[in-house]
């Protein structure tokens, strides 16, 4: 409320009004934006699988213990202050890619953890730390994508990038993650229980729960890492791009 309003900014926005043709051309030409959509899709799929409660219910045998892992994610929040230091040498996409690779190690730990809370906490800390770059550096990636739009002769379209590629990728991943959980458990013969009741599960269901908590997220995170490394090629072009649009 203490910042003076500048009406010239609004006037410029009206002048550069985005129409459907601009959005369509962005969809056709900006291939890097599609890579970002895939990153958000893989990330949200992992987040939405939701195998944590099943794992602690049938593998660990104590659903309440899952709260300890949730606390770890809050403890790690201060580590995000490391990102500005890392970004002096690496691009946001490279940090996301390296975080994804590091996260794969956490899922390997989860696979061998069994009911060991020590190993599960180690795996949880690694995976939670490695996921922070996607959550906190996404806006940096979007800014580069908007600059690339300008390089292509299009408006920046910040809102369109966020809605179409971030938003749609997020929604798609959330839906697919929930579907994948239900499909995998059903295919493995999971026996549904009412409320907090614990029922005997076939070995196939127990194995699938372990995979949903470890190997399946590992595979998705590995694909995210590959896509993020592909997207990092844009950063190498940024000096040329920024010089052209200056």
């Amino acid at each position: 409320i203490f910042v003076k309003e500048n009406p010239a900014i609004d006037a410029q926005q009206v002048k550069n009004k985005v129409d459907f043709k601009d959005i369509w051309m962005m969809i056709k030409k900006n291939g890097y934006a599609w890579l970002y959509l895939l990153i958000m899709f893989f990330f949200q799929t992992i987040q939405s699988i939701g195998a944590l409660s099943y794992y602690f219910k049938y593998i660990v045998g104590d659903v309440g213990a899952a709260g300890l892992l949730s606390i770890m994610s809050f403890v790690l929040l201060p580590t995000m202050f490391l990102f500005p230091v890392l970004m002096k040498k690496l691009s946001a996409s490279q940090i996301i890619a390296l975080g994804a690779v590091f996260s794969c190690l956490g899922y390997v730990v989860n696979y061998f953890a069994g009911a060991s809370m020590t190993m599960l906490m180690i795996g949880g800390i690694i995976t939670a730390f490695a996921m922070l770059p996607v959550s906190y550096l996404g806006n940096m990636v979007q800014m580069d994508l908007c600059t690339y739009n300008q390089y292509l002769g299009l408006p920046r379209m910040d809102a369109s990038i966020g809605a179409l590629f971030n938003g749609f990728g997020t929604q798609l991943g959330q839906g697919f993650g929930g579907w994948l959980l239900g499909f995998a458990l059903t295919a493995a013969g999971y026996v549904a229980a009412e409320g907090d009741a614990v029922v005997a599960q076939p070995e196939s269901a127990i194995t699938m729960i372990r995979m949903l908590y470890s190997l399946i997220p590992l595979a998705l995170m590995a694909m995210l890492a590959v896509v993020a490394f592909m997207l990092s090629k844009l950063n190498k072009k940024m000096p040329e791009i920024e010089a052209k649009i200056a």
Side-chain angles (χ1 to χ4, degrees), residues 220-241:
L220 292 166
M221 193 59 79
M223 289 187 282
L224 189 156
V226 171
V227 173
F229 274 121
M230 293 171 64
L231 181 56
S232 68
K233 294 179 180 179
L234 175 61
N235 183 258
K236 297 178 181 178
K237 299 180 180 179
M238 289 308 295
E240 173 191 347
I241 291 172

Side-chain angles (χ1 to χ4, degrees), residues 107-228:
Y107 288 117
V108 171
V109 174
N110 286 346
Y111 179 74
F112 292 103
S116 170
M117 281 302 300
T118 301
M119 291 186 67
L120 287 171
M121 290 185 70
I122 293 173
I125 290 172
I126 294 173
T127 55
F129 174 76
M131 285 186 175
L132 289 177
V134 181
S135 301
Y136 291 99
L137 299 180
N139 286 337
M140 302 295 296
V141 176
Q142 290 186 60
M143 290 172 62
D144 287 345
L145 295 175
C146 293
T147 302
Y148 186 65
N149 278 342
Q150 288 183 287
Y151 177 74
L152 296 174
L154 301 169
R156 285 185 61 84
M157 293 185 281
D158 302 71
S160 299
I161 286 285
L164 289 176
F165 297 99
N166 185 342
F168 183 67
T170 295
Q171 295 297 322
L172 197 62
Q174 289 174 347
F176 182 72
W179 173 85
L180 180 61
L181 174 68
F183 175 80
L185 289 178
T186 301
Y190 175 79
V191 180
E194 294 185 3
D196 296 329
V198 178
V199 298
Q201 298 291 341
E203 188 62 31
S204 57
I206 297 297
T207 300
M208 181 56 70
I209 291 172
R210 290 184 62 205
M211 291 181 65
L212 285 166
Y213 194 66
S214 57
L215 297 185
I216 292 176
L218 186 154
L220 292 166
M221 193 59 79
M223 289 187 282
L224 189 156
V226 171
V227 173

Side-chain angles (χ1 to χ4, degrees), residues 31-103:
Y32 292 109
W34 286 100
L35 293 177
Y36 182 58
L37 183 148
L38 286 175
I39 288 174
M40 297 310 300
F41 169 74
F42 291 134
F43 178 70
Q44 291 298 333
T45 297
I46 294 169
Q47 296 285 77
S48 302
I49 287 177
L52 179 69
S53 60
Y54 293 91
Y55 190 94
F56 275 79
K57 185 175 183 178
Y58 291 105
I59 309 296
V60 178
D62 182 6
V63 177
L68 293 175
L69 299 187
S70 300
I71 295 174
M72 289 298 101
S73 61
F74 290 101
V75 172
L76 290 171
L77 286 179
T79 60
M80 68 181 182
F81 293 107
L82 294 174
F83 295 154
V85 178
L86 292 175
M87 291 190 70
K88 292 180 180 179
K89 295 185 178 181
L90 301 170
S91 68
S93 299
Q94 289 173 326
I95 295 174
I96 290 172
L98 292 174
V101 172
F102 187 54
S103 180

